[in-house]
Amino acid sequence: MTAAPASPAVDRRHGPRRWWALAAFLAAVTVTAAVGVLGVSGTADEYAGLDQPSWAPPSWLFGPVWTLLYVLIAIAGWLAWQRIGFTGPLWAYAAQLVLNAVWTPLFFGAGRYGMAFADIVILWALVVVTTVAFLRVRRSAGYLLLPYLAWVTFAAALNFAIWQLNT
């Protein structure tokens, strides 16, 4: 019995396809951000009106931080994709983007701080899984997710504190 011939390797690191892929990853994080705030207005006022821990950041900080994080998340996904295509680690990546998008409507739109905390705990776990997988695939991709992991850790603690202070 002879083995089937190996399929030719797809080179995702060169040519126009890689730039289209980067655009797709940037679009995916843009959609994540957009879905997260779709229909949720006045979040700065709502955030300011909540009982918060003394270490809570001002509302104006979230926009710049998330903008930077979303760029890093997109580049990390793109770098991993170049090595392995859309395989297991990219499915974890996609799942964490979905949970990321769901958090804002849960927290602000629905005022469901406990459910938002459950979401962010699962999100945190998926970011850990994705980061570890990306570190194994391409170290730079994993390293780019470390600020995101740190921020989600902080955001989870903040979510929990606000939930406890406002129930």
Side-chain angles (χ1 to χ4, degrees):
M1 176 175 244
T2 60
S7 61
V10 176
D11 188 358
R12 296 175 191 88
R13 291 175 288 181
H14 303 290
R17 181 177 182 202
R18 76 181 183 145
W19 300 115
W20 284 110
L22 177 58
F25 279 96
L26 288 167
V29 297
T30 300
V31 167
T32 299
V35 167
V37 297
L38 193 68
V40 181
S41 62
T43 57
D45 292 338
E46 184 177 343
Y47 179 72
L50 293 170
D51 289 331
Q52 301 177 25
S54 60
W55 45 270
S59 62
W60 64 263
L61 184 63
F62 291 96
V65 167
W66 276 109
T67 299
L68 174 62
L69 291 175
Y70 281 134
V71 169
L72 295 176
I73 293 164
I75 293 170
W78 177 64
L79 290 172
W81 169 84
Q82 287 181 27
R83 285 275 168 90
I84 58 169
F86 206 91
T87 58
L90 273 292
W91 284 106
Y93 175 90
Q96 64 81 24
L97 285 179
V98 169
L99 289 175
N100 183 312
V102 168
W103 184 88
T104 301
L106 279 175
F107 189 89
F108 287 108
R112 302 296 304 252
Y113 308 131
M115 287 185 73
F117 180 69
D119 174 90
I120 205 168
V121 167
I122 298 167
L123 169 61
W124 182 88
L126 280 172
V127 173
V128 168
V129 166
T130 304
T131 302
V132 169
F134 280 18
L135 284 167
R136 291 179 179 154
V137 168
R138 189 169 189 170
R139 286 206 176 277
S140 57
Y143 291 147
L144 286 172
L145 290 180
L146 292 176
Y148 178 40
L149 179 59
W151 186 259
V152 170
T153 301
F154 173 77
L158 182 60
N159 184 154
F160 183 79
I162 290 173
W163 175 32
Q164 297 306 301
L165 290 169
N166 291 276
T167 55

